[in-house]
Amino acid sequence: MEKDTLHRFLIENTQVRGEWIHLDKSWQEILNCSDYPAPLRQVLGEAAAAVCLMSATIKFEGSLILQISGSGPVSRLVMQATSEGEIRGLAQWDGELSTTNLQELFGDGQIVISILTDRESDRYQGIVSLEGQTLSDCLQTYFEQSEQLNTRIHLTADHESAAGLLIQSLPDQEYDKTDVVDDDSWDRAVILTDTLKDEELLTLDANALLYRLFNEDDLRLFDPKNICYQCSCSQKKIEDMIHSLGKAEASEIILDQTLIEINCDFCNTKYSLDAIDVERVFDSQISDGNSSLH
Ligand SMILES: [Zn+2]
């Protein structure tokens, strides 16, 4: 089994395209950051697979972020995938969790899908209501309502792997209708993928799984894209953040607490700055010419 890879595929002479994802090491590294209860682990893994699948459906440079927030026992879940295939994510919860039902876990809430890029014109934010028991249900509705794309998403996760399969019907303008010889292709692909079992998603590699589903079709499987775990926090970003607090406030915290300590929620890295570090932050920013004194 190829580890931590995403494969795009299409069925020749149809408007059906798709993606297969399997996360192993990257998923383990997300799990290592916190002791998640099993039901939340399941949803977090599904979100990890989902952001990879969703980011591969669009051409962009930057990151795609899926955030679920609500009033229930799980207050927040954030999962991020960059166009380079780097993922990170976390969830915050309170108390015992006994269900994987999204509405029961998050209560009254919503899913926000954002695309962050350097080019402001390419930025995007979409809101998905938490109507549906699973993340797949919610995301399918999102694709159908916001993107007007027929979509089927299967997501699953356990303590070892997170996996998913997405199929979409290409929008009219993106395929040459003369090439489409099979009008039933979408309906058939839906019926076939609906037979998929979680265990197959978790244990079969891309070739075996797609053969199992589409062995009567002419399937084209593209080269895999590697996915890895990578947190984007850094000493520099923390120092920039402290700089934006202003020297007076930063000095006050140092006087009060001796150290400024910041913990990255995504990867649990602890950053700590003492009085000398703080002096340096403000000095170096001035000498870099980046400082705004007002
Ligand atoms: Zn981090």
Side-chain angles (χ1 to χ4, degrees), residues 1-2 20-22 163 196-210 212:
M1 167 94 77
E2 285 168 290
W20 170 96
I21 177 87
H22 205 276
L196 202 53
K197 295 187 179 69
D198 286 350
E199 198 196 332
E200 293 176 300
L201 264 178
L202 290 169
T203 55
L204 296 179
D205 67 19
N207 271 305
L209 184 118
L210 295 171
R212 142 83 173 88

Side-chain angles (χ1 to χ4, degrees), residues 88 229-234 263-269 271:
R88 63 173 186 165
Y229 171 82
Q230 180 72 53
C231 190
S232 55
C233 69
S234 67
N263 191 42
C264 173
D265 288 338
F266 283 101
C267 65
N268 264 339
T269 302
Y271 295 91

Side-chain angles (χ1 to χ4, degrees), residues 25 36 47-48 57 66 69 74 79 99 108 111 119 124-125 157 176 178 197 201 203 224 245-246 261 263 269 275:
K25 189 163 179 283
Y36 293 108
T57 64
L66 182 148
S69 54
V74 183
M79 193 59 72
T99 171
D108 210 9
I111 305 177
R119 282 181 37 192
Y124 166 86
Q125 190 167 82
D176 180 357
T178 55
K197 295 187 179 69
L201 264 178
T203 55
L245 282 178
E261 289 183 309
N263 191 42
T269 302

Side-chain angles (χ1 to χ4, degrees), residues 35 50 147 153 163 216-217 219 250 255 279 290:
D35 190 14
E147 311 291 307
I153 307 178
E216 286 179 17
D217 292 292
L219 190 96
L255 265 180
E279 279 300 321
N290 292 330

